Amino acid sequence: AVRKNDSATLDRVWRENLPTARAANKTNYSQMSVITVYWGGALREPLRTAFHNTRTLRWLDTHVGLDFPIEQLNNWIADACPKNITEDWVRKFIRRVPFTQTVNRSVRAALHANREDESEHLKHIAKDKALIVLFLKEKIGDTYQAATAASDANLLDLDLSEWGGNRDGAAGDRQRRAGAPWKKMERSMSDFEEYVREQVTKLCPWHLWA
């Protein structure tokens, strides 16, 4: 979605991110999930089109997230900085980046002129996927009904110490069940509409919630 500047898919990702962010107590990401989608729907033309067309930034032959350029600049500074870095050195480095990076790209293009194309390609995963499917069928069942049946049994033999603990019927199973990730997400969505209303009216006070 980022590489294609697919705004509709990015909005869907932000919507799906809200329960996860809230369950993990990621306050800033929770607010961003609401407000980013809000802007896409609240703006009027021609601002709405401008917003959806600039969800990402063009970077040479692809699109990148809005935070990528500054992070890349930070990497360049870190790679090139002397032991005794000064604020003046950083200012000069940034001022020269348009020139130095153009030179770097040209030098790399000349050095790699006769090399084969290093285009990206996906790893062949069919074999690995088949093994995972077989494992899951053996552990949790080979039908939809079996795989989705409610159970507290640790069928995959996982270390549940970070997943709320074992839920095998021993003492305290109710408390451990409440700590499961899906239960945390379920609780985070219990007041979904109220949370969205609260964030929109707080961060966008001009909005009259109906």
Side-chain angles (χ1 to χ4, degrees), residues 85-158:
I85 188 171
T86 64
E87 186 175 336
D88 184 60
W89 181 92
V90 173
R91 282 199 298 267
K92 290 180 179 178
F93 182 91
I94 294 174
R95 188 164 58 246
R96 294 167 180 168
V97 161
F99 171 74
T100 56
Q101 287 304 310
T102 299
V103 172
N104 285 342
R105 288 197 297 272
S106 297
V107 171
R108 284 196 298 268
L111 290 174
H112 301 167
N114 296 321
R115 292 188 181 183
E116 294 184 5
D117 183 24
E118 296 181 354
S119 57
E120 297 180 359
H121 60 277
L122 293 176
K123 177 184 177 182
H124 297 294
I125 62 172
K127 187 175 181 179
D128 292 341
K129 184 172 68 175
L131 289 174
I132 294 173
V133 170
L134 179 61
F135 171 79
L136 293 176
K137 283 184 175 180
E138 292 177 347
K139 292 292 186 178
I140 65 175
D142 57 2
T143 66
Y144 178 81
Q145 289 76 10
T148 57
S151 173
D152 284 334
N154 184 8
L155 299 177
L156 299 180
D157 299 323
L158 301 175

Side-chain angles (χ1 to χ4, degrees), residues 6-143:
D6 184 348
S7 186
T9 300
L10 289 172
D11 276 345
R12 185 168 66 251
V13 172
W14 277 113
R15 289 187 177 98
E16 294 173 351
N17 178 68
L18 180 57
T20 304
R22 292 192 67 200
N25 295 319
K26 300 293 185 180
T27 304
N28 290 340
Y29 281 113
S30 298
Q31 293 179 344
M32 288 170 63
S33 298
V34 173
I35 298 305
T36 302
V37 175
Y38 170 82
W39 280 115
L43 290 172
R44 296 184 178 182
E45 296 295 355
L47 293 178
R48 178 180 295 186
T49 297
F51 173 84
H52 287 291
N53 288 345
T54 55
R55 297 293 294 277
T56 63
L57 296 175
R58 189 67 180 173
W59 186 273
L60 300 179
D61 56 352
T62 188
H63 286 266
V64 297
L66 300 179
D67 58 346
F68 178 85
I70 191 63
E71 291 181 357
Q72 185 60 61
L73 177 60
N74 183 65
N75 290 335
W76 289 336
I77 293 173
D79 290 340
C81 71
K83 291 183 179 180
N84 298 319
I85 188 171
T86 64
E87 186 175 336
D88 184 60
W89 181 92
V90 173
R91 282 199 298 267
K92 290 180 179 178
F93 182 91
I94 294 174
R95 188 164 58 246
R96 294 167 180 168
V97 161
F99 171 74
T100 56
Q101 287 304 310
T102 299
V103 172
N104 285 342
R105 288 197 297 272
S106 297
V107 171
R108 284 196 298 268
L111 290 174
H112 301 167
N114 296 321
R115 292 188 181 183
E116 294 184 5
D117 183 24
E118 296 181 354
S119 57
E120 297 180 359
H121 60 277
L122 293 176
K123 177 184 177 182
H124 297 294
I125 62 172
K127 187 175 181 179
D128 292 341
K129 184 172 68 175
L131 289 174
I132 294 173
V133 170
L134 179 61
F135 171 79
L136 293 176
K137 283 184 175 180
E138 292 177 347
K139 292 292 186 178
I140 65 175
D142 57 2
T143 66

